[in-house]
């Protein structure tokens, strides 16, 4: 068989409509009677059913990808047992794939000529690459950024994790599933400035009462704030 496929990685921050783009692509394939399949790592547990759902309300059924799933074997068995050679695989939350699974997808492209489009985040809340994203950057044929805008007008880069008070969380497990209540996408400058502001609030000088005037005074010898 001669089929020429490609491995795509389309990445963006949270709220950049990655999932909506995937679902729109699936709809277009369906309208043109093209053979496609949607998949998604099961680590994203926000949905009880095996569906991919966008924040704008559209959804589509998908196949779960488990940590132990061999995606190459999955595609090969699909061809051997059902004689189905899928033209397009659309994968949501691709950052949660393992390095081995990304390599398996590259073999699907090379051996079966299928096209694989992976949609996902680039980095976590600490600005570190996810395992699946790192491998996709290393071996994908085509890499596209899905851009979105910070409140200040700059491009969003950081998927900041927030607490109930809206403060940025700087420590914790890399994976913590959540939506707008746990994450906000911001530019690098806003992320840095917010972190500095929080650090300064945490190191404000202690106030002591002057015995005579009962006015609060700062003991500069005890605490200083770095510029």
């Amino acid at each position: 068989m001669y089929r020429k496929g490609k491995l795509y990685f389309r990445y963006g921050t949270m709220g950049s409509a990655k999932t909506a783009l995937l679902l729109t692509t699936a709809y277009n394939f369906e309208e043109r009677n093209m053979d496609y399949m949607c998949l998604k790592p099961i680590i994203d547990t926000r949905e009880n059913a095996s569906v991919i759902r966008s924040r704008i309300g559209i959804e589509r059924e998908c196949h779960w990808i488990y940590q132990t799933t061999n995606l190459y074997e999955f595609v090969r068995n699909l061809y051997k047992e059902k004689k189905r050679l899928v033209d397009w695989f659309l994968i949501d939350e691709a950052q949660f794939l393992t390095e081995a699974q990304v390599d398996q997808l590259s073999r699907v492209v090379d051996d079966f000529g299928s096209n694989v489009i992976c949609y996902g985040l680039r980095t976590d809340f600490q600005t570190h690459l996810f395992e699946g994203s790192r491998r996709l950057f290393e071996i994908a044929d085509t890499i596209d950024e899905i851009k979105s805008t910070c409140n200040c007008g700059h491009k969003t880069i950081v998927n900041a994790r927030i607490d109930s008070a809206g403060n940025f969380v700087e420590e914790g497990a890399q994976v913590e599933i959540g939506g707008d209540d746990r994450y906000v996408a911001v530019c690098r400058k806003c992320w840095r400035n917010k972190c500095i502001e929080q650090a300064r609030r945490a190191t404000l000088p202690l106030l002591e009462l002057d015995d005579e005037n009962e006015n609060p005074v700062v003991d500069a010898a005890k605490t200083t704030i770095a510029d």
Side-chain angles (χ1 to χ4, degrees):
M1 88 181 58
Y2 179 77
R3 285 156 49 96
K4 188 175 181 180
K6 293 178 69 174
L7 176 61
Y8 301 80
F9 182 36
R10 295 176 177 169
Y11 71 93
T13 55
M14 296 187 71
S16 60
K18 298 182 301 301
T19 300
L21 179 59
L22 181 155
L23 295 171
T24 301
T25 302
Y27 174 79
N28 289 334
F29 288 163
E30 193 170 281
E31 287 290 293
R32 291 162 176 74
N33 295 314
M34 299 171 66
D35 191 14
Y36 74 94
M37 181 179 290
C38 296
L39 301 97
K40 179 181 179 181
I42 199 171
I43 193 170
D44 184 350
T45 56
R46 286 173 290 182
E47 303 294 344
N48 293 325
S50 54
V51 298
I52 295 174
R53 178 177 290 120
S54 170
R55 297 184 184 193
I56 63 176
I58 56 177
E59 65 180 51
R60 191 167 293 268
E61 291 186 359
C62 69
H63 291 267
W64 288 134
I65 300 174
Y66 297 87
Q67 284 286 100
T68 57
T69 299
N70 185 313
L71 291 168
Y72 183 82
E73 291 299 322
F74 171 78
V75 175
R76 186 168 70 170
N77 291 338
L78 197 64
Y79 178 66
K80 289 174 60 178
E81 297 173 6
K82 298 184 179 181
K83 304 303 179 184
R84 182 181 178 187
L85 201 56
V86 178
D87 293 325
W88 293 88
F89 289 98
L90 306 177
I91 301 179
D92 196 27
E93 306 288 8
Q95 71 272 8
F96 296 139
L97 296 172
T98 66
E99 180 177 335
Q101 287 172 331
V102 175
D103 288 339
Q104 292 157 15
L105 290 173
S106 70
R107 289 189 62 198
V108 168
V109 171
D110 296 340
D111 293 357
F112 294 100
S114 298
N115 294 284
V116 178
I117 309 181
C118 295
Y119 298 82
L121 302 174
R122 177 174 62 173
T123 57
D124 61 22
F125 74 106
Q126 295 177 317
T127 69
H128 300 150
L129 287 168
F130 284 97
E131 178 181 348
S133 303
R134 178 185 294 108
R135 192 56 178 155
L136 282 164
F137 273 116
E138 292 169 345
I139 67 172
D141 297 298
T142 300
I143 299 172
D144 300 307
E145 182 179 13
I146 304 170
K147 298 178 181 179
S148 62
T149 306
C150 179
N151 289 336
C152 72
H154 290 102
K155 183 181 72 173
T156 59
I157 292 179
V158 182
N159 301 295
R161 184 180 295 171
I162 58 175
D163 60 20
S164 58
N167 295 313
F168 287 176
V169 177
E170 299 183 54
E171 296 182 353
Q174 183 181 54
V175 178
E176 182 175 319
I177 304 301
D180 294 338
D181 60 324
R182 294 295 292 143
Y183 292 94
V184 59
V186 295
C187 70
R188 183 179 57 251
K189 183 176 181 180
C190 286
W191 176 69
R192 177 178 176 273
N193 288 344
K194 179 76 169 180
C195 290
I196 292 173
E197 176 191 335
Q198 290 179 188
R200 284 180 170 172
R201 286 206 312 264
T203 57
L204 282 175
L206 297 176
L207 298 181
E208 294 183 354
L209 289 179
D210 181 279
D211 291 336
E212 295 181 0
N213 301 321
E214 294 189 352
N215 291 322
V217 295
V218 176
D219 186 346
K222 292 185 177 179
T223 312
T224 59
I225 304 177
D227 291 334

